[in-house]
Amino acid sequence: LSDKSEQQRTSFVQLLRELLSADQVRRVRAVRAPEQFYGAEEMSPSARESIELAVLCIAAAPFTDYYMQVEPDVVVQPGFMKTIRDYVGARDGPWNMVSFSKFGVNRKLIRADKLIRFAEVLVMFPEVPIDNVLWDFIDI
């Protein structure tokens, strides 16, 4: 919920309540970084995106074993999650990330135990494009 307008955030939450079942609403976690996370001066859109992703990673880490960010308009096909679980279960040896796309940070499955450290690196280098930070983080 990165909108600065309280009215826009409230409208979005209300829309979710109207569109989702009661069970789905209970599983939704709305996350928003406090304004002080963005610093006193105006920051670039890429730096703001880095901060927002860092907050999202930190918020997601305790609730899951794996994290994947996808584009907002993605429609997940039936069986997608089972396919992912089967693939991850068949992996031999340690791993940190599975990439389902060459570009960007979307469609990358990251182990939840790596999310906090990834968030720290995002905050340390907010002006570096997120996908560059991600690949450097994986290479470390």
Side-chain angles (χ1 to χ4, degrees):
L1 296 174
S2 61
D3 290 316
K4 287 187 175 185
S5 163
E6 180 67 32
Q7 181 181 5
Q8 287 177 323
R9 290 192 308 268
T10 302
S11 295
F12 180 72
V13 170
Q14 184 58 39
L15 178 64
L16 286 178
R17 287 187 176 131
E18 292 169 9
L19 294 175
L20 301 175
S21 70
D23 183 51
Q24 289 171 319
V25 167
R26 280 191 295 276
R27 290 187 273 158
V28 169
R29 299 272 186 253
V31 178
R32 182 171 191 280
E35 281 303 313
Q36 60 265 33
F37 279 32
Y38 300 104
E41 58 213 44
E42 191 64 31
M43 66 175 30
S44 71
S46 65
R48 188 172 187 87
E49 186 179 9
S50 291
I51 299 298
E52 289 168 356
L53 180 56
V55 169
L56 189 57
C57 287
I58 291 167
F63 296 102
T64 188
D65 294 325
Y66 312 105
Y67 173 85
M68 182 188 296
Q69 183 163 314
V70 297
E71 296 84 348
D73 59 346
V74 165
V75 177
V76 177
Q77 298 298 312
F80 174 76
M81 294 305 298
K82 182 181 179 332
T83 302
I84 299 295
R85 279 191 212 104
D86 290 349
Y87 180 80
V88 167
R91 304 273 307 170
D92 286 332
W95 62 276
N96 294 318
M97 181 182 78
V98 177
S99 178
F100 296 97
S101 170
K102 291 182 190 179
F103 307 108
V105 72
N106 291 335
R107 293 178 267 154
K108 309 292 189 280
L109 187 71
I110 303 172
R111 296 176 61 94
D113 61 353
K114 304 297 181 204
L115 288 175
I116 301 296
R117 186 67 182 133
F118 179 50
E120 291 171 348
V121 174
L122 285 168
V123 171
M124 288 181 349
F125 304 101
E127 294 296 337
V128 177
I130 291 175
D131 49 340
N132 292 356
V133 173
L134 174 67
W135 289 110
D136 288 345
F137 174 74
I138 292 302
D139 287 343
I140 294 176

